[in-house]
Amino acid sequence: MTFETFQFILASGLILGGLYALMAIGLSVVWTTLDVFNFAHGAFVALGAYIAWQVAQYGEGLWGFVFAAGVSVGLMFVLGFILHFCLIKPFEKRPNIVLLAVITTLAASVVIESLIQLVWGPREKQISPAVSGRIEVFGTGFVANDVVALAVALAALAALALFLRRTGTGRAMRAAAQNREAAEAMGFNVTVLYATALGIAAAAAALAGVFIGSLRFINPSFGADPLMKSLIVVIFGGVAKFTSPIYAAFILGVVEAFSIYFLGLYWSPAVLFGLMVVVLLVKPEGLFGHRRKTL
Amino acid sequence: MKYAPPFHHSSALLPVLAAGAVLTVLPLIFTDAYIRHICILAFIYAILASSWDLSLGYGGIFNFAHMAFFAIGLYAYGIGAKIVGLNPWLTVLLAPVAAIAFAALLAVPVLRLEGVYVILVTIAASQLLLKLIVSQSEVTGGTSGMVLLPRLTIGDYRLTDDGRIGYYYAALAMLGLSTLFLYKLERSPLGRAIKALRDNKYYAIARGVSEGRTRLYTLCASALLPGLAGAFYGSYVRVASIEVFGLAFLTLVLSILLVGGVSTIWGPILAAFLIAVFSEVLADFGSWRDIAVALAIVGVILLYPGGLFAGLQELRDFLDSRKTAATAAWGRRFQAGARAALMGAPGRSIATGHGEVALFDTGEEKPALLLIHGNSSCKEAFHRQVAAFRDRYRIVAFDLPGHGVSRNGNPRTDYSLDAYARIAAEIVGILELDRPAVFGWSLGGYVALEYAAGGHPLGTLAICGTSPLSLYPDDMPAGYIASPHMELASKRFFSWREKRDYAEATLATRAPGSGLARRAVWRTDGRAREQLFSRMKTVDWQRQVAFLRRGTAPFAMINGSEDPFIDHAYCAAFEYGAIWRGAPQSIDGAGHAPFLAAPETFNRLLGEFLEECASGWHAEKSGPAVPRFARTPEFRTTEE
């Protein structure tokens, strides 16, 4: 294997990792804050992609794409915010909230998928990429859109990290995630913070959906795959901290890229899962996880 | 000891028999293959959902690999029957083994995890399995699945013939067997260990339940039925495809479980039929159907947290309280004569702060004797005492709320020792009884103790069939002999057999004139039993103990030697300040209700007690109170 090949595999692994991180971050934010597992995450990804596709019909090129992505992310934030009051809030006081949230978010994903089917039909669609052509990075040629996707993913994650660590709302959210009662006692409106967390998750999902939609074809039920991918990332990294799924996503992306190159497309999922099983057996709370959760 | 009557003695027998009969004749009425098809699917969903309940509901393990167990059964059938060429019947029986093996493997990580992590791991394991199946396409057909799997036949007869009637009955039989299995398992020691781990893990472990082994068994037992159902499903639809891993299928089965009610075996079975029919009726609406089903599920969970089963129980609760109220009204209206004949005088009704209660009062100017009856009984249980003592005493007896011919009370406020004692005090006040002698039997003994400890006017106190407690429920095992009938005391619904058992255990049912008391068990509001016992923890037992230790009021305990409930040694060892004749009195051969079984002996003892008190037995004995701390249960800690 030449150095160029190595470089190429590494880079494509990083690009994959960026997408995975974007997909998984929403799942992990909801989990660390609301303590529930959001099964509608895949549907959020799909809906985000469809909204962007619809908006992109009115404008071509880079700005059309940027506008579509912005509208999609904004709308999905609002939707996520609202959905908290339909899916999670009514059941907060129930002892089996974890289980109930599973079924309500599953129901939400069914509703979203069916609505997509009704509005846009079952035919496959693709969002026209933000930039076309190839660009050269460190002497290796890449599809420009991939590089943009990675860059935007990194920027979005960085922005989210800044939001959570530097802004008042972000810190309040972390406080609510760490100790709900204490945060309430300090006068934070935990309900709004929780809804914001779901909104952020939906927005991140939408952004991931936009890029997935520009990289491959989308159909109403394509969200299931990102959901499962994020799930693996989250298990792999653990959800103890905001950053742990991000590292895990990049590790998994690179591992997947290498295993695709060396073992082929068929066996790479098996490698990933094998790795996951090993992680679970050795460190069940995830590679970067702690028993206690903090956002 | 847990009270667990066999199924044929429980009140679930009739509904289940009726449902079984309906399902057996259903295909004979509806010969349409399509209706039978929906029924067969409903049977399979019911098996899937109810067996999922074992790990998810009873075990509290968030096992989301249940569909994977089903898929394993399905693919094991496909591979075994089509590729290996085994006998289809044999394959159906072998397929669960594969599912159990997978469950055992899965248990390794699951045992080390808690809560939401278990969801992740089990989903991931299912996805791993999915990838494995997709990647081995030369065996499993990959994403397109396996088709034309062999069907089940008996000789040359195919179960699909005659409008699928063979499959219908096979599926029905399987549902019956699976329900039997779950029912038996839930009530076995293993089932109790599973529930104990869910309810209080550390307590269960401390009591010797092995967490690892129990969880392993839970998962394996939970995998058995979906494995079987999957194989059967494969032989029925004759296709094994990766659809069964999809979120849609997971949502369907999970919603059946949640809509039916978690931790109930019957709920999911009912819900399986409802949802199968509901989604078939709406089949023509495509995507709208999915939306409607999803919204309906969220709606049910929102409005009926306990699911359908809880709804049914509410209905039953409503009907039962209506029934007991109607029985009481009937008794008030038409049986007053019978009661008056037995008691020697008519009764009346009196308004108290806890509703109207039925009162019996001989109403002459004599020393008063207040009689308080026990759980699920009535004042007529004391008819022999009324006859014996009415010449010397003014006898006052009343029916507790929800008992006898009193009205049913408000379950939130009227069914507690505190409320009962207050009613007694109100009656004493209304009738202007001056320091009455109080006799309480069983539960009434606690009411009497509570009355006395509350500082209400009291001459003397006698109790029967009551063990004084200093801590509830910790002292229950010491004060009472564990018996299945003890559980009945707090059970809300009685089957006819339980009513009979309870009457036989508590009353001397063969004694003449015990008929009214026996029938009172039929009439008692089940909520009174349930609420009273659930409020036992809030009773100030130490106040009662302090009252007994103080010994300021003459106190007697008269028990039956053959009482099936109370522990005589415990009662004898209790530190009384002053007890008549120095120890609890025992009437040879009498049971829980000596005043009915051996009225002459009982009446002689009670009479002697009352007379000796009147002539100053207690005044001579009681000196300055000397605190004795031979037994100090006050500082025991209890962990719930």
Side-chain angles (χ1 to χ4, degrees):
Chain A
M1 184 177 64
T2 61
F3 183 66
E4 277 72 37
T5 326
F6 175 79
Q7 226 178 10
F8 177 77
I9 298 169
L10 187 66
S12 50
L14 288 178
I15 290 165
L16 212 53
L19 271 183
Y20 286 174
L22 210 50
M23 290 192 264
I25 199 71
L27 209 57
S28 109
V29 163
V30 170
W31 189 351
T32 41
T33 327
L34 277 72
D35 252 341
V36 298
F37 189 81
N38 175 20
F39 269 95
H41 197 68
F44 285 172
V45 173
L47 185 58
Y50 269 92
I51 293 175
W53 179 85
Q54 187 65 50
V55 177
Q57 298 308 299
Y58 306 111
E60 289 288 311
L62 179 62
W63 292 113
F65 184 87
V66 170
F67 181 66
V71 170
S72 163
V73 167
L75 279 179
M76 288 306 292
F77 177 84
V78 174
L79 181 74
F81 192 92
I82 294 169
L83 277 182
H84 174 250
F85 294 93
C86 312
L87 303 180
I88 317 282
K89 185 87 204 337
F91 308 103
E92 259 177 0
K93 296 280 182 286
R94 304 263 178 90
N96 53 345
I97 164 78
V98 174
L99 202 55
L100 290 181
V102 169
I103 189 71
T104 53
T105 52
L106 268 176
S109 85
V110 169
V111 170
I112 292 175
E113 267 178 31
S114 308
L115 284 178
I116 292 175
Q117 182 106 21
L118 286 171
V119 175
W120 285 287
R123 281 184 55 194
E124 298 210 321
K125 303 190 185 323
Q126 191 175 19
I127 303 169
S128 51
V131 286
S132 51
R134 303 174 73 83
I135 49 174
E136 193 126 321
V137 184
F138 303 124
T140 319
F142 290 104
V143 178
N145 197 33
D146 289 357
V147 180
V148 171
L150 178 61
V152 172
L154 286 176
L157 292 174
L160 186 55
L162 277 180
F163 167 74
L164 286 174
R165 298 202 167 149
R166 292 281 178 267
T167 67
T169 318
R171 285 176 180 181
M173 260 177 69
R174 289 169 61 204
Q178 284 166 14
N179 190 334
R180 183 190 169 140
E181 283 74 28
E184 270 175 344
M186 291 318 211
F188 291 125
N189 189 342
V190 172
T191 305
V192 170
L193 291 172
Y194 276 14
T196 312
L198 201 60
I200 289 174
L207 195 60
V210 172
F211 281 106
I212 295 171
S214 70
L215 297 174
R216 58 178 107 124
F217 288 102
I218 54 175
N219 61 50
S221 57
F222 91 97
D225 190 46
L227 176 68
M228 288 307 159
K229 279 276 160 43
S230 350
L231 191 82
I232 299 165
V233 169
V234 163
I235 295 177
F236 196 74
V239 286
K241 278 172 110 173
F242 165 70
T243 46
S244 41
I246 300 179
Y247 302 140
F250 282 103
I251 293 177
L252 277 181
V254 172
V255 168
E256 192 175 347
F258 275 95
S259 71
I260 287 176
Y261 182 81
F262 289 108
L263 300 171
L265 211 52
Y266 257 160
W267 285 102
S268 72
V271 169
L272 285 188
F273 274 105
L275 209 59
M276 195 184 70
V277 169
V278 171
V279 167
L280 281 176
L281 291 180
V282 178
K283 203 164 181 293
E285 64 273 17
L287 271 190
F288 310 101
H290 304 285
R291 287 280 177 185
R292 223 165 48 83
K293 61 164 186 126
T294 52
L295 182 63
Chain B
M1 191 186 293
K2 179 90 183 119
Y3 172 74
F7 178 69
H8 58 276
H9 291 175
S10 76
S11 45
L13 176 66
L14 276 182
V16 169
L17 278 186
V22 168
L23 290 177
T24 309
V25 297
L26 197 69
L28 307 177
I29 302 165
F30 296 102
T31 47
D32 181 23
Y34 177 66
I35 290 178
R36 288 179 189 171
H37 170 69
I38 292 174
C39 286
I40 294 168
L41 287 186
F43 293 150
I44 292 173
Y45 294 157
I47 295 172
L48 265 179
S50 60
S51 61
W52 199 356
D53 205 8
L54 186 62
S55 48
L56 203 63
Y58 289 108
I61 303 170
F62 293 129
N63 156 35
F64 276 76
H66 205 70
M67 297 300 105
F69 299 153
F70 183 76
I72 289 175
L74 178 60
Y75 273 94
Y77 180 79
I79 294 167
K82 192 177 181 197
I83 294 176
V84 182
L86 291 173
N87 178 304
W89 287 100
L90 183 66
T91 322
V92 168
L93 291 180
L94 285 180
V97 179
I100 291 175
F102 180 69
L105 268 180
L106 190 64
V108 177
V110 164
L111 293 183
R112 307 189 53 195
L113 296 169
E114 288 283 328
V116 195
Y117 281 99
V118 177
I119 300 186
L120 290 190
V121 171
T122 46
I123 292 178
S126 328
Q127 291 300 308
L128 169 61
L129 195 70
L130 168 64
K131 301 281 179 194
L132 207 70
I133 287 172
V134 171
S135 67
Q136 303 301 313
S137 56
E138 60 277 14
V139 182
T140 60
T143 45
S144 42
M146 308 171 82
V147 289
L148 290 177
L149 304 180
R151 39 165 102 75
L152 294 176
T153 54
I154 300 173
D156 283 336
Y157 181 79
R158 295 185 301 196
L159 292 193
T160 40
D161 289 350
D162 300 326
R164 303 176 178 176
I165 194 149
Y167 269 107
Y168 181 93
Y169 282 118
L172 181 60
M174 222 165 63
L175 176 62
L177 287 177
S178 107
T179 311
L180 181 71
F181 172 77
L182 291 172
Y183 187 82
K184 285 282 177 199
L185 185 70
E186 192 239 315
R187 297 154 72 88
S188 69
L190 176 62
R192 283 174 205 148
I194 290 172
K195 282 184 280 181
L197 267 183
R198 170 196 65 181
D199 293 339
N200 193 335
K201 186 172 127 180
Y202 298 106
Y203 187 48
I205 293 171
R207 291 301 299 261
V209 174
S210 159
E211 188 195 10
R213 203 180 312 145
T214 309
R215 278 191 164 189
L216 174 71
Y217 290 159
T218 315
L219 277 178
C220 290
S222 192
L224 167 72
L225 293 172
L228 192 67
F232 182 79
Y233 183 75
S235 80
Y236 175 59
V237 297
R238 306 184 63 203
V239 173
S241 80
I242 54 167
E243 295 262 300
V244 293
F245 284 101
L247 281 184
F249 194 48
L250 177 81
T251 313
L252 178 77
V253 179
L254 187 61
S255 60
I256 288 175
L257 176 54
L258 286 175
V259 167
V262 178
S263 299
T264 64
I265 294 172
W266 311 109
I269 297 176
L270 269 173
F273 284 91
L274 268 184
I275 290 186
V277 170
F278 186 58
S279 69
E280 281 310 320
V281 168
L282 296 177
D284 294 338
F285 296 90
S287 294
W288 287 112
R289 186 227 3 213
D290 299 340
I291 294 176
V293 171
L295 291 181
I297 289 163
V298 175
V300 168
I301 294 171
L302 195 62
L303 300 175
Y304 262 100
L308 268 180
F309 198 72
L312 277 184
Q313 277 178 330
E314 261 175 49
L315 183 70
R316 182 187 184 190
D317 185 25
F318 172 78
L319 291 178
D320 193 73
S321 62
R322 276 302 137 97
K323 191 189 78 186
T324 54
T327 316
W330 173 271
R332 275 194 295 276
R333 176 76 184 77
F334 297 110
Q335 290 175 335
R339 284 197 308 278
L342 190 65
M343 300 287 273
R348 62 184 165 114
S349 184
I350 187 171
T352 70
H354 292 281
E356 236 173 76
V357 297
L359 179 74
F360 173 82
D361 177 17
T362 52
E364 295 151 57
E365 282 303 319
K366 288 174 190 164
L369 172 60
L370 176 65
L371 304 171
I372 306 173
H373 69 77
N375 189 354
S376 304
S377 190
C378 66
K379 61 183 184 301
E380 281 74 25
F382 298 122
H383 68 98
R384 297 299 293 263
Q385 284 64 49
V386 175
F389 289 100
R390 67 177 303 173
D391 53 336
R392 284 166 288 166
Y393 296 93
R394 173 180 183 180
I395 313 276
V396 178
F398 65 99
D399 286 331
L400 296 170
H403 293 72
V405 287
S406 287
R407 289 177 192 278
N408 281 354
N410 177 351
R412 284 162 203 262
T413 53
D414 300 342
Y415 294 147
S416 66
L417 279 190
D418 182 44
Y420 292 169
R422 257 183 284 149
I423 293 172
E426 275 189 52
I427 288 174
V428 168
I430 294 168
L431 300 181
E432 294 172 347
L433 306 179
D434 176 41
R435 290 164 44 88
V438 178
F439 170 70
W441 165 48
S442 193
L443 164 70
Y446 288 120
V447 177
L449 276 171
E450 184 68 18
Y451 171 88
H456 298 296
L458 177 74
T460 59
L461 174 68
I463 61 173
C464 164
T466 309
S467 291
L469 302 176
S470 37
L471 205 59
Y472 181 87
D474 301 50
D475 278 348
M476 287 297 277
Y480 289 92
I481 299 162
S483 100
H485 298 305
M486 280 297 290
E487 289 274 333
L488 285 181
S490 61
K491 193 168 180 282
R492 185 182 215 156
F493 301 113
F494 277 0
S495 69
W496 68 268
R497 195 180 184 103
E498 287 166 343
K499 284 171 183 160
R500 196 193 64 191
D501 285 354
Y502 188 79
E504 269 176 11
T506 53
L507 290 166
T509 43
R510 266 175 284 283
S514 65
L516 271 172
R518 201 174 63 234
R519 278 194 292 278
V521 181
W522 263 247
R523 176 267 175 266
T524 304
D525 189 358
R527 295 173 303 179
R529 281 190 290 266
E530 189 188 60
Q531 290 296 320
L532 184 98
F533 274 84
S534 64
R535 280 161 212 268
M536 289 282 258
K537 281 181 192 163
T538 63
V539 173
D540 189 351
W541 298 104
Q542 286 303 316
R543 195 170 67 159
Q544 296 186 7
V545 171
F547 168 80
L548 287 174
R549 295 248 164 96
R550 212 160 43 231
T552 44
F555 171 72
M557 192 187 258
I558 306 169
N559 293 328
S561 68
E562 302 303 313
D563 194 312
F565 303 121
I566 64 168
D567 188 314
H568 293 285
Y570 171 91
C571 288
F574 197 86
E575 298 285 324
Y576 303 99
I579 183 165
W580 182 57
R581 293 192 176 166
Q585 300 300 301
S586 183
I587 296 177
D588 266 346
H592 192 58
F595 49 85
L596 265 177
E600 288 81 15
T601 323
F602 179 87
N603 291 346
R604 182 173 52 76
L605 276 174
L606 186 62
E608 284 170 10
F609 168 64
L610 295 173
E611 275 156 31
E612 284 178 33
C613 290
S615 60
W617 151 71
H618 183 257
E620 291 163 20
K621 293 282 257 187
S622 61
V626 183
R628 284 188 291 174
F629 294 107
R631 202 172 149 275
T632 51
E634 289 90 341
F635 304 106
R636 255 187 280 164
T637 54
T638 166
E639 175 144 317
E640 281 310 309

